[in-house]
Amino acid sequence: MKVLLIGSGGREHALAWKIAQSPLLDALYAAPGNPGIADHATLVALNVEDHAAVIAFAKEKAIDFVVIGPEAPLVAGLADDLRAAGIATFGPSKAAAQLEGSKGFTKDLCARYDIPTGAYQRFKSAEPARDYVREQGAPIVIKADGLAAGKGVTVAMTEAEALAAIDECFDGAFGTAGAEVVVEAFLDGEEASFFCLSDGKTALALATAQDHKRVGDGDTGPNTGGMGAYSPAPVMTPAMVERTMKEIIEPTISGMAKDGNPFSGVFFAGLMITAKGPELIEYNVRFGDPECQVLMMRLKSDLLPILYATATGTLDKVQAEWRDDAALTVVLASKGYPGAYDKNTPIAHVPEASAEAKVFHAGTALKDGKLVATGGRVLNVTALGKDVTEAQARAYALTDRVEWENGFCRRDIGWQAVAREKA
Ligand code: AMP
Ligand code: GLY
């Protein structure tokens, strides 16, 4: 099979690394890719916003299957256009990608199909939103409706904070993404991420993970795209996974199909495990970054036939086998991230992979043959272990061998799981 992978982050490096191990693979291309992905794929300088160019490349190379990594091309309808051109594609349609692209869309789906989530209202102007907040009181959550790079959510512990967040959205802090606002009840509990594939009819549960969104140790400082993750998430017991499938995933699949938007791709469900059980915080319609890196390290099965079955409606014919080991990834970011940071800082050394540890590339590039950091999140040092404690020790041992002066990382990724394992 000839495969084209779309994307250039740590998530796509992990997908490329795993796809490249498939005996079914004849050739792997990545657009635009990164220097880490180049170890497994031929990089192609395509503008992925130019759907006609992507299709023309796929036809020229007789690509059998396209795997789309990030959300932006999905929300822009790249999967629809590829499928219309007769090319099998992993990733949801533009209509189904609204599950990630519009928080209001997802909340309305939950309301229609009785999927547990926080009570909410949607607003197109500030005044009624403010009234609703005054009526409900704090804590309460304010969300820009559209894609806001993970920054459009304010968990307001006071009414004043909530009112300020509403003004910020309607004053244009998130551009068009904030033209509509969802105000939502605060859910109390432990967060977990759950990954599940669907071909529109069948669901295949993958695995669970926990992310670390704050930039600083002890979960302090501003939110980021994710500073590290581990899998599995201990709060997601087999019973909780079963409830999530029955109460959240299955009604989503049937509801989306009933509404005329069948979902094909990966559900990345952000869950709050409350006293009542699992409740949906949000859906993403692609693998998490850096959650994908820990999932790929733990997946024993060949990824390629699983993704292909998802895209071609034969998910009932495949299974996914997982290692019992835990996996943990530490994100090395440019100093200053998630604020401003220097670009093109030199990375002098990236240690070699071993059987149980590997460094995935995210925001890296080659300049005059030398590796440099070009992004906020730059390297993902990922390791397996018999438990999170061991995976954490291995990941940090490898992290300490990376030579990059402008890099920093959190030193406590996995702290909740490690504390549990000590108890
Ligand atoms: P989201 O972008 O929707 O994942 O929200 C970002 C973060 O805000 C989540 O990971 C949660 O930590 C928090 N959050 C979102 N919605 C709620 C809620 N209803 N109750 C409590 N925390 C929330
Ligand atoms: N790590 C969170 C995300 O991929 O959205």
Side-chain angles (χ1 to χ4, degrees), residues 75 92-113 115 117 120-124 143-147 180-182 184 251-253 255-263 267 280-285:
V75 172
S93 67
K94 181 177 179 164
Q98 287 180 87
L99 277 181
E100 174 159 2
S102 165
K103 300 207 184 274
F105 174 91
T106 301
K107 299 296 285 188
D108 288 352
L109 181 96
C110 290
R112 238 180 351 267
Y113 298 106
I115 297 167
T117 188
Y120 75 103
Q121 294 269 320
R122 302 173 73 167
F123 298 98
K124 288 211 157 94
K143 300 183 172 182
D145 181 75
L147 290 181
E180 183 170 337
V181 165
V182 172
E184 180 180 310
T252 300
I253 293 173
M256 290 292 283
K258 220 181 266 171
D259 293 350
N261 305 317
F263 183 91
F267 287 117
L280 183 72
I281 298 177
E282 64 159 0
Y283 272 127
N284 297 304
V285 298

Side-chain angles (χ1 to χ4, degrees), residues 54-63 85-87:
V54 177
I55 291 165
F57 174 81
K59 295 249 153 141
E60 180 200 320
K61 296 288 181 195
I63 298 291
I87 302 161

Side-chain angles (χ1 to χ4, degrees), residues 136-366:
Q136 299 290 316
I140 195 157
V141 184
I142 313 299
K143 300 183 172 182
D145 181 75
L147 290 181
K151 296 183 185 103
V153 174
T154 303
V155 179
M157 299 318 281
T158 65
E159 211 174 280
E161 244 183 291
L163 297 175
I166 288 170
D167 290 341
E168 198 188 14
C169 282
F170 286 115
D171 286 347
F174 308 109
T176 52
E180 183 170 337
V181 165
V182 172
V183 180
E184 180 180 310
F186 173 79
L187 298 172
D188 199 11
E190 187 169 345
E191 272 187 80
S193 300
F194 178 65
F195 293 86
C196 176
L197 296 171
S198 169
D199 61 4
K201 316 175 291 272
T202 305
L204 177 68
L206 292 179
T208 63
Q210 243 154 10
D211 190 12
H212 297 63
K213 288 216 165 76
R214 303 299 192 104
V215 74
D217 284 10
D219 295 325
T220 55
N223 267 327
T224 69
M227 293 300 292
Y230 60 90
S231 172
V235 67
M236 290 300 287
T237 57
M240 208 53 81
V241 168
E242 199 176 311
R243 283 191 62 181
T244 303
M245 290 299 288
K246 275 221 167 64
E247 296 170 26
I248 297 179
I249 300 292
E250 285 166 15
T252 300
I253 293 173
S254 60
M256 290 292 283
K258 220 181 266 171
D259 293 350
N261 305 317
F263 183 91
S264 156
V266 61
F267 287 117
F268 163 6
L271 303 175
M272 190 69 85
I273 309 305
T274 70
K276 284 196 282 183
E279 298 201 42
L280 183 72
I281 298 177
E282 64 159 0
Y283 272 127
N284 297 304
V285 298
R286 34 83 194 172
F287 284 104
D289 189 346
E291 290 89 336
C292 185
Q293 290 81 315
V294 286
L295 258 53
M296 291 306 112
M297 289 288 274
R298 290 192 57 228
L299 181 62
K300 264 204 261 181
S301 308
D302 185 352
L303 177 67
L304 188 51
I306 295 175
L307 297 183
Y308 193 70
T310 306
T312 53
T314 52
L315 202 49
D316 56 336
K317 307 276 193 305
V318 296
Q319 281 179 334
E321 265 192 87
W322 299 87
R323 294 173 191 268
D324 291 331
D325 310 62
L328 182 140
T329 187
V330 176
V331 171
L332 276 157
S334 293
K335 282 177 190 160
Y337 174 80
Y341 51 84
D342 288 343
K343 290 207 170 160
N344 298 317
T345 58
I347 301 170
H349 178 66
V350 176
E352 286 293 309
S354 65
E356 66 273 338
K358 166 141 192 84
V359 181
F360 293 109
H361 288 232
T364 66
L366 285 175

